[in-house]
Amino acid sequence: MFNTSDTRGNSPSYGTNYQKTGHELMSQDELAVMDGGKCILQLRGVRPFLSDKYDVTQHPNYRYTSDADKRNAFDMEKFLDHRLKLRGKDVYHVVEAD
């Protein structure tokens, strides 16, 4: 982009200013009609680029996610309830500390 200016008067002058401006990777209407199997991938140190979407169910560790098995879901209530639970069959040693 460049701008020009022309001044008229007793001492006329003329100037041109060049500016480097950024632009959007894609406009909103281009995003709206983008192929569902594609995505814009942005990694640190690399310019954003268009890529095929990865099928996460094909990942070798997918079986460890809660989407694959509900037993893998993180239970926040159980995590926060960290009180000692005594069981009847367990053997305990009582130690007195002074």
Side-chain angles (χ1 to χ4, degrees):
M1 177 169 107
F2 69 94
N3 298 323
T4 60
S5 63
D6 188 8
T7 328
R8 298 171 194 259
N10 291 338
S11 57
S13 66
Y14 175 81
T16 304
N17 180 22
Y18 291 94
Q19 284 182 309
K20 194 181 234 187
T21 58
H23 64 282
E24 294 179 345
L25 182 63
M26 293 178 82
S27 64
Q28 290 182 359
D29 59 329
E30 289 172 320
L31 287 172
V33 295
M34 191 170 76
D35 180 17
K38 299 281 186 183
C39 65
I40 298 173
L41 196 59
Q42 184 172 0
L43 303 171
R44 185 175 43 190
V46 181
R47 291 188 176 274
F49 58 93
L50 199 61
S51 177
D52 292 328
K53 285 186 178 177
Y54 178 76
D55 184 10
V56 72
T57 61
Q58 301 303 314
H59 193 279
N61 293 332
Y62 177 73
R63 64 179 178 262
Y64 301 120
T65 65
S66 63
D67 290 338
D69 189 354
K70 296 298 178 199
R71 293 177 294 176
N72 294 332
F74 182 74
D75 187 359
M76 180 61 80
E77 295 296 325
K78 184 177 177 183
F79 176 75
L80 292 176
D81 186 24
H82 55 276
R83 290 177 282 171
L84 179 63
K85 295 180 176 77
L86 303 176
R87 297 184 198 124
K89 295 181 179 181
D90 293 341
V91 178
Y92 302 98
H93 298 282
V94 178
V95 179
E96 290 187 33
D98 291 333

